[in-house]
Amino acid sequence: MPALSLTAPDPTGVRTGSLLGGRTADDYRELLHHVVDDLAERFRTVSSPSVGPDRPLLDDLVGGVDLDGPGIGSRAALDEAGELYAQNAVWFHHPSYLAHLNCPVVLPAVAAEAMLGAINTSVDTYDQSLVATLMERRLVRWTSERIGFAGGDGVFTSGGTQSNLQALLLARHRAEHTSEEGRETLLPRLRVLATEAAHFSVSRSAELLGLAPDAVRTVPVDADGRMDPTALRLLLARLDALGEPVMAVVATAGTTDRGLIDPLDAIADLAAEHGVWLHVDAAYGGGLLVSTTRRHLLDGIERADSVTVDFHKTYFQPVSSSALLVREPADLAAVAHHADYLNPAAEAASAEAEPNQVDKSLQTTRRFDALKLWITLRAVGPEELGGMVDRVCDLATQVRGLLEDDPDLHVLGTTDLSTVVFRFHPAGLEDSRADELQPLIRRILFQSGRAMVARTTIEGTAHLKLTLLNPEATLADIAAVLDLVRATGRGLLAGTRLAAAGEGR
Ligand SMILES: *Cc1c(COP(=O)(O)O)cnc(C)c1O
């Protein structure tokens, strides 16, 4: 049947046969099977989070590919990319990958990715997506209900960064429409309140939204690192007295570094008292919405004006999958844009108006990422998904227990989720030397490819960090990585060749 070979360039140079369609259905099947067979073998045999090769080697490999020559055919190109990309990838499913907020992905969602990629739906207008729009809307309702919004709305986004930006756009809109002032004088005076641990996308968004460089004011934290409501009260009163309007309070439900959840109810009380927009950034902690044992940690989230949830973090979804949810649908509708060729304003008001998601999104063409969550919920069920979140949180508690009396590794503070912030600091080591060691330890492990941990600075002190998001990782897996950390630190102190190699690179 196929007129064109997938293994060699089409001699005519017209490669229409490579487009997915009726004529190429068999080629599609063959090609996808080929990719899946290759990847399945890699998953079967991957023995470390990465092969840890040198940057110059990767640069050479990437630079050595001829992107301007004639096509080599789909199969050869895929094999080539397998050797280049898959071979040198970072594998988030590996139990020694403990660095960032990346999760291993559930199988049904991976299969869903293949489905939505092939069909290539764009959920911008209803006439491009039909049932996909209705499915996304149903999931927005599902998430809203989990949050506790009585009649919320929202939209899927590319990630927490975009969700936070959109949330603050809505907050700015509210601030502008409740003020008598014109934009020119109001914008530079608007303030956003968040703790130092809030995600950097909050200050980036403030900048993008035209606020002053110092618009984001830091709310002090309590001894554990959660927003201090008393400090928030004082700051709100002070800004009131100064006549500086507060556009939004951003509470973080699961800080990126420490997995701490700001006291949502107390913050909601103050936001309500001052008539300030409350955004809850639950990019990380949103997984608790399906936990049967920890859902109470999010109590008060239902009082937010807007909420960010990253399904590609604690719902084990492939990148990208996130959503912005709002309590009042009108808040989202207020910033809709209408284009005559997509979603004309005249039709929007009519009874037969088509439900166009583009009205609600910062994106126009947009992936049907909701399908992954849909299939996951049907395949796995929310309860089991919540159990997976609980498992990684429990694992973090166990790891902390493990390190309680460790002479070399010292845990910092507490968590509400699944991170472990710690420091290699044997007795007698100077603080300044310990500060130097933490990033070096990370670097050496990263270069080896055997294990991946993150580094961070908390209150001016260098630390290492584990982000546990693999419910199948065992305590023994994590203990083995901690042994590597310890050995690397000890090696550095002893000035071994390992240390020299790590510092030299
Ligand atoms: C990860 C994270 C973000 C950013 O989300 P992306 O999906 O990476 O864009 C925002 N806020 C918090 C608290 C996060 O942990």
Side-chain angles (χ1 to χ4, degrees):
M1 200 243 4
L4 295 168
S5 162
L6 290 167
T7 52
D10 171 15
T12 67
V14 181
R15 304 182 59 81
T16 52
S18 300
L19 296 175
L20 178 52
R23 275 189 318 114
T24 55
D26 285 338
D27 301 324
Y28 162 68
R29 188 206 309 265
E30 191 208 320
L31 210 53
L32 270 274
H33 279 168
H34 179 67
V35 171
V36 170
D37 285 345
D38 178 64
L39 280 179
E41 196 49 36
R42 291 182 191 275
F43 274 99
R44 223 191 311 278
T45 54
V46 157
S47 60
S48 61
S50 93
V51 293
D54 289 334
R55 169 80 177 276
L57 174 64
L58 291 181
D59 272 338
D60 283 349
L61 290 175
V62 171
V65 176
D66 180 6
L67 297 176
D68 295 305
I72 58 173
S74 307
R75 217 173 150 136
L78 281 163
D79 288 344
E80 179 183 87
E83 277 310 296
L84 177 62
Y85 163 54
Q87 177 63 25
N88 296 300
V90 178
W91 300 96
F92 299 152
H93 74 281
H94 195 279
S96 299
Y97 180 85
L98 306 169
H100 303 288
L101 271 164
N102 314 105
C103 55
V105 289
V106 285
L107 273 175
V110 178
E113 205 40 277
M115 192 190 283
L116 70 96
I119 298 174
N120 195 32
T121 295
S122 174
V123 273
D124 47 313
T125 56
Y126 182 64
D127 67 0
Q128 297 172 64
S129 55
L130 296 173
V131 71
T133 279
L134 305 182
M135 290 167 80
E136 175 174 319
R137 287 188 167 210
R138 175 91 194 272
L139 276 181
V140 164
R141 278 206 305 283
W142 178 86
T143 314
S144 288
E145 281 162 17
R146 287 270 165 180
I147 289 170
F149 289 158
D153 198 359
V155 70
F156 273 65
T157 69
S158 60
T161 301
Q162 192 189 9
S163 299
N164 285 347
L165 171 62
Q166 189 168 5
L168 291 176
L169 171 71
L170 303 183
R172 189 187 75 178
H173 186 84
R174 157 110 48 104
E176 286 187 80
H177 283 256
T178 50
S179 166
E180 319 269 270
E181 252 177 272
R183 180 174 273 195
E184 293 75 51
T185 57
L186 180 65
L187 249 52
R189 299 199 305 113
L190 289 177
R191 303 289 174 248
V192 174
L193 310 188
T195 70
E196 198 140 58
H199 194 259
F200 68 86
S201 55
V202 172
S203 42
R204 176 75 68 84
S205 300
E207 190 185 338
L208 286 170
L209 291 167
L211 307 194
D214 63 345
V216 180
R217 296 298 166 90
T218 302
V219 185
V221 293
D222 64 17
D224 285 328
R226 301 184 189 92
M227 187 184 285
D228 177 357
T230 307
L232 176 62
R233 176 186 297 281
L234 290 172
L235 187 53
L236 283 165
R238 181 143 52 85
L239 292 171
D240 260 357
L242 289 170
E244 297 179 17
V246 177
M247 182 184 105
V249 172
V250 178
T252 309
T255 55
T256 312
D257 260 350
R258 298 170 72 178
L260 292 170
I261 299 175
D262 289 335
L264 302 180
D265 255 323
I267 296 168
D269 285 343
L270 291 165
E273 216 172 281
H274 289 259
V276 169
W277 185 283
L278 173 60
H279 176 61
V280 174
D281 179 358
Y284 180 11
L288 298 188
L289 291 172
V290 286
S291 162
T292 48
T293 63
R294 290 177 170 82
R295 172 62 181 84
H296 63 276
L297 294 176
L298 295 179
D299 282 354
I301 195 172
E302 72 285 354
R303 300 169 65 193
D305 292 283
S306 54
V307 174
T308 290
V309 179
D310 262 5
F311 301 113
H312 59 216
K313 285 178 181 163
T314 38
Y315 287 75
F316 311 100
Q317 297 294 293
V319 176
S320 57
S321 182
S322 173
L324 172 72
L325 294 310
V326 298
R327 194 184 59 218
E328 291 297 337
D331 286 329
L332 191 56
V335 295
H337 271 276
H338 293 278
D340 289 340
Y341 54 88
L342 275 181
N343 57 342
E347 279 177 25
S350 81
E352 308 87 69
E354 290 168 7
N356 295 322
Q357 291 296 82
V358 70
D359 293 357
K360 305 180 182 185
S361 177
L362 296 183
Q363 293 168 261
T364 307
T365 306
R366 190 164 53 86
R367 291 162 51 87
F368 181 30
D369 287 314
L371 181 68
K372 295 178 285 191
L373 180 62
W374 182 282
I375 293 177
T376 300
L377 288 176
R378 290 295 294 146
V380 182
E383 197 168 322
E384 173 72 22
L385 218 48
M388 292 163 72
V389 178
D390 282 332
R391 169 82 193 111
V392 293
C393 294
D394 290 340
L395 191 58
T397 308
Q398 291 166 355
V399 172
R400 280 159 186 277
L402 200 65
L403 292 181
E404 218 151 68
D405 301 313
D406 196 286
D408 291 349
L409 306 178
H410 304 283
V411 174
L412 177 83
T414 184
T415 186
D416 295 314
L417 294 167
S418 64
T419 64
V420 182
V421 178
F422 67 104
R423 183 166 154 98
F424 173 78
H425 197 165
L429 184 65
E430 280 169 39
D431 267 349
S432 59
R433 180 67 181 137
D435 279 342
E436 287 166 15
L437 285 186
Q438 314 306 316
L440 284 178
I441 294 171
R442 182 210 73 104
R443 168 80 73 108
I444 290 170
L445 292 183
F446 171 63
Q447 297 281 10
S448 78
R450 289 173 66 193
M452 292 208 186
V453 303
R455 44 96 168 73
T456 187
T457 299
I458 292 185
E459 286 157 15
T461 308
H463 284 84
L464 293 168
K465 177 176 78 160
L466 312 180
T467 310
L468 308 182
L469 277 186
N470 185 345
E472 288 175 8
T474 64
L475 188 57
D477 290 328
I478 316 297
V481 173
L482 292 171
D483 286 344
L484 276 177
V485 168
R486 212 180 277 109
T488 307
R490 288 263 165 212
L492 282 167
L493 283 180
T496 59
R497 278 178 49 226
L498 182 64
E503 276 170 315
R505 267 188 261 199

